[in-house]
Amino acid sequence: MASSGLAKIETQKMKEEICHDDSSAPVKAQTVDELHSLQQKKKSGPNTPIKGHHQTAFGSEVDRNKQQLQSISASLASLTRESGPKVVKGDPSKQSETPKVAHASQFHQHTAPNLNISDSSLKFTHILYNLSPAELYEQAIQYEKGSFITSSGALATLSGAKTGRSPRDKRVVKDDTTSDELWWGKGSPNIEMDEQTFLVNRERAVDYLCSLEKVFVNDQFLNWDPNNRIKVRIVSARAYHSLFMHNMCIRPTPEELENFGTPDFTIYNAGKFPCNRYTHYMTSSTSIDLNLARREMVILGTQYAGEMKKGLFSVMHYLMPKRQILSLHSGCNMGKEGDVALFFGLSGTGKTTLSTDHNRYLIGDDEHCWSDHGVSNIEGGCYAKCIDLSREKEPDIWNAIKFGTVLENVVFEEHTREVDYTDKSVTENTRAAYPIEYIPNAKIPCVGPHPKNVILLACDAFGVLPPVSKLNLAQTMYHFISGYTALVAGTEDGIKEPTATFSACFGAAFIMLHPTKYAAMLAEKMQKQGATGWLVNTGWSGGSYGSGNRIKLAYTRKIIDAIHSGELLNANYTKTEVFGLEIPTELEGVPSEILDPVNTWPDKDAYKETLLKLGGLFRKNFEVFANYKIGADNNLTEEILAAGPNF
């Protein structure tokens, strides 16, 4: 054979000349699957093993898992078949053998054989239980179209056809109890449905969830006050929904999860599946149904995750007042000396901006409880608007959008995955949901002492409300019930003019009882704890929108700082006409002439006309509340009415 001309390789000689052998022993795996199994460590138990067995509050880990699965199966049980599906923990794509299952019938005692067998009872329903954000990322990206990792590490998702809440499709079961307790009729957000219709929708949701190969189950808490927290279970079909609620509810420790037991409230989110339009009380293919007696919520026909958050808020508005705890749609922060302030305000009033203060601790941005022990955040996360978000305007929110955060309906660059927060192609209601720990100055646990100041924010585009007013208790109740701000809306001829917006208790869509009940509780707690009420206008001065100017944010911050420090309590005050508001005559850092709005209007007659117009709008809005009586003598209602505009 002809020589190729290549030198012969002497392997033995090469081996001897190697000065460092960095080769390693072969992996301890015979197949690729075995290699993958070595990659992931088994989840460690929260407690130290005892005598070779992992013991928990329920006994062994096997017993604990069995009881958890039985509880979940019971949650998913059909009310007609009286049995739940066969459930097993774990991703079905990773199951290598027939698993041990739990079935609700294992702990339901039947006097006769159950003959109502369906196809869903013959299959396994895999339960993805309290998955971590990393696991939920994998599920979303692999199985949910429209899920992407953005350049900051957040998970971008789509909520489908609905990009906001559907308040007209929300229903509450009206029964013997709720017919007397809840606020019904004109002005109320509560639209009734009967028990039977709820059960029809519940059955539809449960059947849909049980027909799936896998469902996500979150067991979490509401309310950071350990004495008054609520156990919630969320059953959903999407990883997006599971991660959203992982962020928004309070996340249990492993020990707390072991002792979780039966939930106090359960959400069945079958939002990918529509309701039956022929069902009584249905007005569309969407239905969000609350049954307070059963402590259950059913979602059909909408994938917008905010329905779960606000649905639970409505539940807290019902449950907490029963414990003499006031539930509040507010922001809350605390100074380094322990002074707590509550911030109320509708969209555009600056609630988020003003309650986020680097010199103060953030207790929460949206939902709170005020009990005999102080204030507590209801949630474990924040749900921030993202439209036109920038690092300069909202650095805390910007920096919180990282791994673990859910970004709803945002638009991003195809290659770099950088989000364009100015793009409204999908919706203007783009949102970010992230754990509150992502905010650097968040106070953990999210609790604080009794509030010292209650700040009601209004963006008055009419330009007639003072930049700051000190309120007495009756005025605080009146303006709390009113929940006023003014938006700028385009008219037919293209001229823009202010439009008054009122939302009772600054969150009318979520309250369950009559607004006067919440207002009376607020006044009682303020009086008992010596808190002061303030009305702060972040809107216009020197004229209405179009002629006046927006009050400078720097001035508003000076006002808020003076409220926190107590400086404003010691100021000299004068009273305005019509609304009868007490306003300071001077405040350091704020021009004295803007403290009384009449001084800033060049046309005094126009000011008076606009002031009377706004007063009339307040009166008209309050008509729906005027006939509601509290107590036998009705004195409180009359006192609140007297605190309104007088002309």
Side-chain angles (χ1 to χ4, degrees):
M1 188 176 195
S3 173
S4 63
L6 295 176
K8 183 178 179 182
I9 298 175
E10 297 184 15
T11 55
Q12 185 63 34
K13 182 179 181 181
M14 289 180 63
K15 186 175 181 181
E16 292 171 356
E17 291 175 354
I18 293 175
C19 62
H20 174 67
D21 185 359
D22 62 354
S23 61
S24 59
V27 294
K28 299 175 182 179
Q30 302 298 317
T31 66
V32 172
D33 287 342
E34 286 184 21
L35 179 60
H36 288 172
S37 71
L38 295 174
Q39 186 183 23
Q40 300 180 29
K41 293 176 68 174
K42 297 296 183 183
K43 186 183 292 185
S44 58
N47 295 333
T48 304
I50 301 174
K51 296 180 181 179
H53 296 283
H54 179 200
Q55 298 292 319
T56 72
F58 290 138
S60 70
E61 185 175 8
V62 173
D63 291 339
R64 175 173 62 87
N65 283 329
K66 182 179 179 181
Q67 292 198 23
Q68 282 180 343
L69 288 172
Q70 287 176 339
S71 175
I72 293 168
S73 180
S75 292
L76 287 167
S78 162
L79 297 179
T80 55
R81 291 186 292 273
E82 297 184 353
S83 63
K86 297 173 183 176
V87 294
V88 59
K89 280 188 181 179
D91 188 342
S93 65
K94 297 178 181 178
Q95 295 290 338
S96 57
E97 59 182 34
T98 303
K100 296 180 180 179
V101 302
H103 199 281
S105 60
Q106 291 177 346
F107 58 97
H108 281 294
Q109 297 298 318
H110 297 290
T111 56
N114 182 11
L115 302 179
N116 296 316
I117 296 175
S118 66
D119 285 343
S120 62
S121 68
L122 302 177
K123 61 177 279 294
F124 294 128
T125 299
H126 290 79
I127 303 300
L128 302 184
Y129 183 71
N130 276 47
L131 295 192
S132 68
E135 292 171 308
L136 290 167
Y137 265 51
E138 293 166 3
Q139 290 288 328
I141 290 167
Q142 188 169 0
Y143 300 110
E144 296 178 13
K145 192 173 182 180
S147 299
F148 297 89
I149 300 177
T150 64
S151 60
S152 68
L155 180 70
T157 64
L158 291 172
S159 65
K162 298 293 180 77
T163 58
R165 290 182 299 103
S166 303
R168 294 180 182 178
D169 295 312
K170 183 181 174 184
R171 301 287 183 270
V172 181
V173 173
K174 189 173 186 179
D175 54 29
D176 292 341
T177 301
T178 57
S179 63
D180 295 328
E181 291 182 336
L182 302 192
W183 178 29
W184 304 99
K186 186 178 179 181
S188 168
N190 302 315
I191 306 172
E192 69 176 90
M193 74 185 311
D194 59 32
E195 172 86 5
Q196 181 61 31
T197 304
F198 174 85
L199 296 179
V200 169
N201 282 356
R202 182 194 186 278
E203 194 79 354
R204 190 173 177 90
V206 167
D207 281 347
Y208 167 73
L209 291 167
C210 290
S211 73
L212 302 175
E213 191 175 27
K214 62 186 178 187
V215 295
F216 299 88
V217 176
N218 292 40
D219 280 349
Q220 296 182 251
F221 299 115
L222 296 177
N223 196 355
W224 283 82
D225 176 0
N227 298 316
N228 293 291
R229 70 182 183 184
I230 302 297
K231 298 184 292 184
V232 293
R233 171 168 293 164
I234 303 101
V235 185
S236 59
R238 291 192 61 181
Y240 148 50
H241 291 151
S242 186
L243 181 57
F244 177 91
M245 294 307 279
H246 170 88
N247 290 346
M248 295 310 303
C249 295
I250 299 167
R251 293 157 290 283
T253 64
E255 289 83 2
E256 289 171 333
L257 207 54
E258 284 183 0
N259 294 281
F260 193 84
T262 303
D264 300 314
F265 198 88
T266 302
I267 293 179
Y268 300 98
N269 189 341
K272 293 182 73 174
F273 198 67
C275 67
N276 186 340
R277 292 183 183 223
Y278 286 101
T279 305
H280 193 34
Y281 296 102
M282 299 300 102
T283 53
S284 74
S285 59
T286 298
S287 192
I288 303 99
D289 309 327
L290 277 177
N291 189 324
L292 296 171
R294 291 186 57 84
R295 305 292 175 93
E296 291 178 339
M297 176 181 178
V298 169
I299 299 175
L300 291 163
T302 174
Q303 297 179 63
Y304 180 66
E307 295 287 9
M308 295 182 288
K309 165 187 160 66
K310 291 304 186 184
L312 288 175
F313 192 29
S314 294
V315 171
M316 295 295 279
H317 269 311
Y318 174 74
L319 295 178
M320 292 297 103
K322 283 179 168 289
R323 305 183 185 185
Q324 302 306 308
I325 297 171
L326 178 59
S327 47
L328 299 165
H329 188 211
S330 69
C332 183
N333 66 24
M334 185 180 79
K336 292 180 173 60
E337 302 300 319
D339 57 300
V340 169
L342 294 172
F343 291 81
F344 296 89
L346 302 180
S347 179
T349 59
K351 182 181 74 168
T352 301
T353 301
L354 295 172
S355 62
T356 304
D357 187 333
H358 290 159
N359 296 315
R360 297 173 66 84
Y361 300 109
L362 180 69
I363 292 176
D365 74 329
D366 196 42
E367 303 175 8
H368 293 88
C369 286
W370 188 351
S371 72
D372 290 339
H373 308 292
V375 292
S376 56
N377 190 349
I378 290 174
E379 302 180 294
C382 303
Y383 193 34
K385 290 183 178 180
C386 290
I387 196 66
D388 296 326
L389 178 69
S390 68
R391 189 194 300 269
E392 295 71 33
K393 287 194 298 184
E394 301 285 357
D396 285 344
I397 297 175
W398 179 277
N399 292 328
I401 299 176
K402 57 186 179 181
F403 181 82
T405 297
V406 175
L407 277 175
E408 280 182 332
N409 301 315
V410 297
V411 177
F412 49 85
E413 202 279 325
E414 183 180 20
H415 176 60
T416 64
R417 299 289 198 264
E418 290 186 6
V419 178
D420 181 357
Y421 292 108
T422 66
D423 197 315
K424 307 173 185 177
S425 298
V426 179
T427 178
E428 190 170 331
N429 189 33
T430 52
R431 296 269 184 165
Y434 48 85
I436 195 166
E437 294 92 333
Y438 284 14
I439 299 297
N441 61 328
K443 183 183 181 301
I444 308 296
C446 303
V447 296
H450 294 287
K452 182 179 176 183
N453 293 292
V454 175
I455 301 169
L456 312 182
L457 300 170
C459 178
D460 178 30
F462 290 96
V464 294
L465 290 183
V468 60
S469 313
K470 185 172 68 171
L471 306 175
N472 60 35
L473 284 177
Q475 288 175 323
T476 302
M477 286 190 284
Y478 182 88
H479 287 279
F480 176 70
I481 292 171
S482 296
Y484 164 73
T485 193
L487 306 176
V488 177
T491 57
E492 290 183 5
D493 59 0
I495 299 173
K496 292 187 175 181
E497 61 181 23
T499 302
T501 299
F502 297 93
S503 183
C505 307
F506 293 93
F510 322 119
I511 60 177
M512 304 294 284
L513 313 179
H514 193 279
T516 312
K517 291 188 177 181
Y518 298 106
M521 288 185 71
L522 176 63
E524 181 184 357
K525 290 184 180 297
M526 288 178 64
Q527 187 172 35
K528 185 176 180 180
Q529 302 302 331
T532 306
W534 306 90
L535 180 64
V536 174
N537 174 22
T538 62
W540 271 255
S541 178
S544 298
Y545 176 85
S547 59
N549 297 301
R550 186 84 187 255
I551 297 171
K552 292 182 179 179
L553 179 60
Y555 295 158
T556 303
R557 287 198 183 278
K558 285 284 186 183
I559 289 168
I560 299 298
D561 288 344
I563 290 173
H564 291 323
S565 68
E567 178 187 346
L568 262 179
L569 280 177
N570 301 317
N572 294 317
Y573 284 87
T574 184
K575 187 171 286 190
T576 67
E577 56 181 347
V578 180
F579 280 89
L581 299 170
E582 288 193 17
I583 57 174
T585 55
E586 59 180 356
L587 177 62
E588 185 178 349
V590 180
S592 296
E593 61 270 17
I594 76 166
L595 294 174
D596 190 342
V598 68
N599 296 332
T600 62
W601 280 64
D603 187 339
K604 308 303 181 188
D605 291 336
Y607 165 78
K608 185 64 177 291
E609 181 183 347
T610 307
L611 180 63
L612 291 173
K613 178 182 178 181
L614 182 60
L617 292 172
F618 266 83
R619 277 188 176 180
K620 181 175 178 59
N621 171 70
F622 219 85
E623 287 174 359
V624 71
F625 311 119
N627 296 326
Y628 187 82
K629 295 184 179 181
I630 296 182
D633 55 11
N634 199 32
N635 286 341
L636 183 59
T637 305
E638 293 174 1
E639 185 182 349
I640 295 171
L641 284 170
N646 185 17
F647 57 94

